[in-house]
Every structure is written in C-alpha cells, then in structure tokens.
Amino acid sequence: MSHRAPTPPPAARAASARRSPVRDLLALTARPEVISFGGGLPAPELFDAEGLRAAYDRVLTDAPHAALQYSTTEGDPALRAAIAGRLTGQDLPTDPDRLLITAGSQQALTLLATVLLEPGDTVAVEDPTYLAALQCFGFAGARAVPVPSDEHGIDPAALADLVARERPKLLYLVPTFHNPTGNTMPAARRRAIAETAERHGLWIVEDDPYGELRFSGTPEPRIASLPEAADRTVLLGSFSKIMAPGMRLGWLRAPEALHGPCVIAKQAADLHTSTIDQAAAARYLADNDLDAHLARVRAEYRTRRDALVAGLPEALPPGSTWNRPDGGMFVWARLPEGHDATECLAKAITNDVAYVPGAPFYAGTPDRTTLRLSFTTHAPETTAEGLRRLAKTFL
Ligand code: PMP
C-alpha cells in the first residue's frame, strides 16, 4: 500500500479555539426536570407564531419566486426601510442604504472582525463582556483587553489610560441591558467615551440586541447618535429578542467608510441573508404592530424580573449582592467572598437548577464569585421553585 501522508493541521486560530467548560456543564441542564436560569433565550410562548406564519404565508403566496430566489447582499429593501424608519423615529436618523442585513448580530461581529482586525490587534472590552464577542475577536487573532468597569459600564478615565498604553483599534460595548450584567451605561458615560474615541482615534462597536426590552426607567441616547462618535460607531441591532432568534436576522449600521467593506465581507461569507426570512420579517412589520407585541413582551419580562429579584434574598447566601436591571434578560449576582460560582454550579445541577457562572465572561482575571441569572423563560411559580432549589445549593 502506498504511503498515506497526513493532512495539514488546522489553522492556529482553529486549533486554539476551546470548547467552553460551562457550555459542557450546561449541556447537563437539558434534562426536563432542571429549572435553568442559564440560557439567554427569549420566552418562546411570547413569539408571535401566528403573525409570523401569516407573514411567511403571504410572502410565499404573493411573491413566491422573489422570496425563494437569491437576493442582494445589502438585504431586503423593505426590511431595511422598516429598520431605518424605526431608528429614525427613536434617536437615530438612518438612511436605509447605510444598513446591511446580517444573519443575526453575531454575524455582524464576525464581519467587523474581518474588516477591521489584523492578527495581533487589540480590542478594548467591558469587564465582563459578551462571551461570543470574545470568541469572535479571538478567532480573528486579536487580543481582548478589559477596561475596568463598574455597574455603569466602563470607566472613561481608565479607558483613556488603556488607549494610550495598548492602542486598541476598537472598543466593543453592550451599553444597554448588558450581557452578562444587565447594566445600562448612563448618558454622561456614553458622552465621555465618545469623546475619548474621538480624541484617540478609535472605532466603537455598539452592540444593542436588548435596548428595545426596557421595562422601567428612561432610554439613554445611543452612542451612535452622539456627534463625537457618529463617524466612528458601528451600531448592531437584532430581531432575535424582539421577533424570533431562529430567523437569524440582525443588522449593522456602519459609518460610510466601513459600509462598503462590510458588504464585501458579507458577500464572501454567505452572499446574503436568507431571502424568505427577510421578506417575511418585512411583511410582518408592515402587517402588524411591533410595538404592541413588544409591550406584551416587556410587561411579561418585568413580572418575571420582579419574581426573580424578589426571591434572591432567600436563595443566595447572606452577603450576596445583585442588581435589578431596567430591561433585557439578565440579573447579575455576586456571592460572598470565598464562594466560586463555577464550583457551586455542579452542586446546583444535582439539585435540578442551573445558572451561568460569571468567570468565562471576563477577558482578564475573572471574578469567580459572579453569576448570571436569566429571568425570561419562567413563570413566577417556576422561578420560585428554581430559587428554592438554588437555596439548597448554598446550605
Ligand atoms: N450580542 C449580544 C450582546 C448578545 O447577547 C447576543 C445574543 N445572545 C448577540 C450579540 C447575538 O445575537 P443574534 O446573533 O441572535 O442577533
């Protein structure tokens, strides 16, 4: 038999990619008896399945050939017009031609990494930050450097120091109802950060999948709307939390200089986002009142947040702290010193309850006492039972 040479190894970035140990642990929580506060999932019973079925139906009845055909990389014009109209009606005048429809906002992160980052580049991130953004920047060969952060987001003075020292190319932020912390950055911080980005020459990625899920307080201005940052901020939006994540629809609103390169990167990645899903979303938005749907979702999430927050004093050990976010999907908690939330998770799972430990969300040294609890998917009675089980974990 002739000699069989081995195939070349995978690229270094693929070889160094690690499975998340937390994901493996959470795989154990797929058992139906487990009450999980771990997943970052929207409540499925609140999806407007009937409205979406009708939208898909109409699209396939009225224009089946267009809906099933290849389409443009930039995205469905009606959908882009609807998104632009919505942003313009909020705080951000938007030209539909400035929008690129993506396969979820996760793809927008990949496109931006492709367009902006060389291997070895530095990205400044909140501490902690969205785990899959860290993975995405890691895959691009970039180094994520955490900026000291508190309950109001990153510290602008610390950012200025870090920028002078580390010369990051971009700053990645989830300023509203952050994942994992649920926190929102106040307007003054947003302005200070926009000024720093302007002074030091920095791209800002403003990732905003949760902003429309506000159930208390008043909206803060988008960073993309601030004059200092308008020419350097890329805003990412998503239908995942306001319509349905399975449709995989998001959008990227880039300054002019980045729009063209992002379109080309998208073309190389997947030609375009699913034609039929975009058409159905556009049809849905034309035939339904998204705000009325969102009002229902917000009211339900508020009740669910309140149920979780009300039960935490009995569920977590004395000396624990947590926040009460004004929107989004997550509560962030801190166990007393000496507790390790990753170690406690294994015991929680034996009690048929789960959460996500905070450690993997840190680009630098993790705070091992932290954990993320999602309140979206459980009725208050289920949350109460889940918290009783969680209390047993810390006995
Ligand atoms: N950014 C953040 C901060 C998220 O929490 C998520 C989803 N969990 C995403 C981006 C990706 O969302 P999608 O691709 O579904 O739009």
Side-chain angles (χ1 to χ4, degrees), residues 10-139:
R13 62 181 166 273
S16 69
R18 281 171 298 119
R19 283 179 67 85
S20 150
V22 171
R23 200 160 267 283
D24 291 345
L25 256 185
L26 288 177
L28 301 173
T29 69
R31 290 182 287 125
E33 60 274 27
V34 174
I35 297 176
S36 179
F37 300 108
L41 306 181
E45 70 278 16
L46 298 178
F47 295 151
D48 184 4
E50 187 49 37
L52 287 168
R53 189 198 57 72
Y56 276 91
D57 225 41
R58 261 197 84 179
V59 159
L60 280 170
T61 305
D62 295 352
H65 296 157
L68 297 170
Q69 190 53 282
Y70 283 116
S71 53
T72 63
T73 302
E74 286 83 350
D76 185 306
L79 184 60
R80 283 189 289 133
I83 297 164
R86 202 167 170 82
L87 292 173
T88 302
Q90 296 170 349
D91 64 347
L92 197 61
T94 298
D95 180 344
D97 287 342
R98 192 46 51 73
L99 295 173
L100 169 62
I101 306 293
T102 56
S105 47
Q106 191 64 36
Q107 184 186 42
L109 287 171
T110 306
L111 299 180
L112 288 168
T114 305
V115 164
L116 287 175
L117 298 176
E118 313 276 3
D121 277 348
T122 300
V123 177
V125 297
E126 290 154 318
D127 196 33
T129 190
Y130 173 48
L131 181 56
L134 288 177
Q135 285 175 328
C136 177
F137 299 139
F139 248 103

Side-chain angles (χ1 to χ4, degrees), residues 44 81-82 129 211 214 218 224 248 255 259 274 276 281 284 300 326 365:
T129 190
R214 175 177 285 281
T218 45
R248 307 305 303 128
H259 179 79
S274 156
I276 185 163
Y284 180 87
E300 192 54 42
D326 281 325
T365 311

